């Protein structure tokens, strides 16, 4: 018990020291469910013990997070098949590196005939290199990526573990978002990306919007 408390304390202090909770927001539960049903996703490439949806995931800090299910950094993760959700921290350099790492993995999987898929959820910063890299990728499926207006969708707050009220767990997105799915040919056949998928995802993200009252109350409280 004492060892567990120490591990929890070290992990909590690590993430508390980062601040920038907006960088650690998670998809709403309904969004994860759509991705599971349509794309077979049961793994996050960027999560933490505080917001992970599944038992196993990638996170920034293997030393403090491994005890809670993390397998380490996405940049050391080299799957040859499978379907994964990728919502990196909103840091341009990290976003670009994530797209390029996924593309390298997809190239290798394509050569071996593997079914490999990455569903990216990123801010719609269209003039920043990562966005161009994602939207022009040779592995992009389903035509143009899904675009979500900032006011039309929400996320689960990165500081959800510090929120006393359940309604405070949701927050309106600070930016418009882009959802793009990169896949090998085998993955595209197994998990097709189409208008129906994007329609369900749009509805799931819209359902994560806090009520107008909750949003105004949060602004008043400075949260």
């Amino acid at each position: 018990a004492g060892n567990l408390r120490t591990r929890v304390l070290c992990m909590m202090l690590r993430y508390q020291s980062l601040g920038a909770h907006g960088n650690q927001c998670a998809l709403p539960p309904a969004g994860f469910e759509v991705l599971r049903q349509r794309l077979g996703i049961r793994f996050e490439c960027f999560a933490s013990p505080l917001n992970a949806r599944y038992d196993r995931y990638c996170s920034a800090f293997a030393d403090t997070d491994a005890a809670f299910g993390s397998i380490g950094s996405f940049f050391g993760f080299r799957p040859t098949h499978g379907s994964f959700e990728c919502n990196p921290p909103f840091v341009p350099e990290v976003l670009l590196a994530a797209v390029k790492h996924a593309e390298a993995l997809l190239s290798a999987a394509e050569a071996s005939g593997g079914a490999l898929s990455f569903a990216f959820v990123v801010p719609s910063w269209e003039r920043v290199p990562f966005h161009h890299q994602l939207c022009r990728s040779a592995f992009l499926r389903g035509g143009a990526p899904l675009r979500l207006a900032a006011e039309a969708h929400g996320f689960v707050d990165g500081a959800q573990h510090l929120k006393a009220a359940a309604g405070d767990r949701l927050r309106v997105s600070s930016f418009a978002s882009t959802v793009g799915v990169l896949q090998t040919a085998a993955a595209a056949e197994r998990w097709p990306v189409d208008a129906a998928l994007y329609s369900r995802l749009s509805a799931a993200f819209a359902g994560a919007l806090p009520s107008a009252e909750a949003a105004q109350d949060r602004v008043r409280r400075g949260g």
Side-chain angles (χ1 to χ4, degrees), residues 79 97-110 116 118 139 182:
V99 176
K100 288 185 173 181
H101 182 57
E103 288 184 312
L105 295 170
L106 288 160
S107 292
E110 189 70 84
L116 184 62
F118 294 96
F139 296 102
L182 306 185

Side-chain angles (χ1 to χ4, degrees), residues 37-111:
Q37 292 177 3
R38 287 297 313 273
L39 300 180
I41 292 175
R42 294 179 177 83
F43 189 98
E44 294 173 82
C45 295
F46 291 88
S48 81
L50 300 173
N51 70 5
R53 172 77 172 177
Y54 301 108
D55 292 338
R56 304 293 281 171
Y57 52 90
C58 287
S59 72
F61 309 113
D63 57 340
T64 55
D65 299 351
F68 306 100
S70 172
I71 66 168
S73 170
F74 173 61
F75 299 108
F77 184 46
R78 291 178 170 77
T80 57
H81 61 276
S83 189
F84 307 92
E85 182 263 1
C86 203
N87 178 30
F90 290 3
V91 178
E93 296 81 3
V94 176
L95 289 157
L96 179 60
V99 176
K100 288 185 173 181
H101 182 57
E103 288 184 312
L105 295 170
L106 288 160
S107 292
E110 189 70 84

Side-chain angles (χ1 to χ4, degrees), residues 166-208:
D168 285 346
R169 294 180 65 246
L170 302 176
R171 65 182 301 150
V172 180
S173 180
S174 301
F175 309 100
S177 292
T178 296
V179 180
V181 184
L182 306 185
Q183 298 178 318
T184 60
E189 184 175 347
R190 182 173 180 181
W191 302 297
V193 178
D194 53 25
L197 168 64
Y198 283 160
S199 177
R200 290 186 62 188
L201 279 175
S202 296
F205 274 101

